[in-house]
């Protein structure tokens, strides 16, 4: 939760408005943020922005445009499928959480995840190649 809070401070602090091409990579399936996008946008409108100005319409726009997440430490289908629905396969990177989690378990998880082969290729290597210009 602390990392998610820091990411939100980066967003609400206007960092991505000043640096619109910047990308923040969050581990642990996005630290819970992909599941909170609707709530973030709803509270943003309800709270009438509280004097904070963002150039984009909704906080979720920054997460979808400027954040990539990794699978590190989360080898479960539901969070992966939720992240795919919330962000799309272009925003997810395969990662392990060694030594906290087993590399073998992470590989088994992604190899057997109920996703399409094109999405698996993006998550396993194509997104990293694009992001890191490999």
């Amino acid at each position: 939760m602390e990392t998610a809070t820091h990411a939100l401070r980066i967003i609400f602090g206007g960092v991505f408005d000043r640096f619109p091409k910047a990308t923040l990579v969050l581990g642990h399936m996005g630290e819970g943020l992909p599941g909170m996008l609707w709530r973030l946008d709803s509270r943003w409108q309800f709270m009438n922005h509280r004097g904070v100005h963002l150039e984009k319409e909704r906080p979720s726009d920054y997460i979808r445009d400027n954040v990539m997440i990794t699978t590190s430490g989360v080898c479960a289908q539901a969070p992966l499928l939720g992240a795919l629905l919330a962000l799309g396969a272009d925003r997810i990177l395969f990662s392990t959480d060694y030594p906290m989690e087993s590399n073998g378990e992470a590989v088994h998880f992604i190899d057997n995840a109920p996703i399409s082969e094109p999405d698996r290729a993006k998550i396993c290597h194509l997104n990293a190649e694009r992001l890191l210009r490999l």
Side-chain angles (χ1 to χ4, degrees):
M1 295 313 300
E2 291 175 8
T3 305
T5 301
H6 288 300
L8 293 173
R9 287 183 177 136
I10 289 169
I11 291 168
F12 291 116
V15 171
F16 295 125
D17 288 336
R18 289 190 299 277
F19 303 98
K21 293 183 180 181
T23 299
L24 175 65
V25 178
L26 293 176
H28 309 111
M29 212 65 81
E31 307 294 350
L33 289 176
M36 297 295 297
L37 298 183
W38 182 89
R39 181 77 173 161
L40 286 170
D41 293 344
S42 169
R43 297 305 84 198
W44 176 244
Q45 293 303 319
F46 178 80
M47 300 298 283
N48 198 26
H49 306 188
R50 294 284 191 216
V52 175
H53 172 76
L54 293 176
E55 291 181 16
K56 295 182 180 180
E57 183 178 347
R58 303 169 302 186
S60 65
D61 295 331
Y62 293 91
I63 295 171
R64 288 186 179 100
D65 295 344
N66 297 97
V67 173
M68 293 192 75
I69 69 169
T70 77
T71 61
S72 64
V74 182
C75 297
Q77 291 181 11
L80 175 62
L81 297 176
L84 279 166
L85 288 171
L87 303 177
D90 292 332
R91 308 304 299 175
I92 303 171
L93 304 164
F94 173 72
S95 178
T96 67
D97 200 19
Y98 180 83
M100 303 307 289
E101 302 290 344
S102 161
N103 287 348
E105 183 176 357
V107 170
H108 182 266
F109 160 69
I110 200 66
D111 282 347
N112 294 285
I115 59 177
S116 70
E117 290 308 314
D119 284 352
R120 192 179 330 276
K122 287 178 183 182
I123 293 167
C124 287
H125 66 92
L126 294 175
N127 293 339
E129 292 169 9
R130 176 176 42 86
L131 176 67
L132 302 172
R133 297 182 180 104
L134 299 176

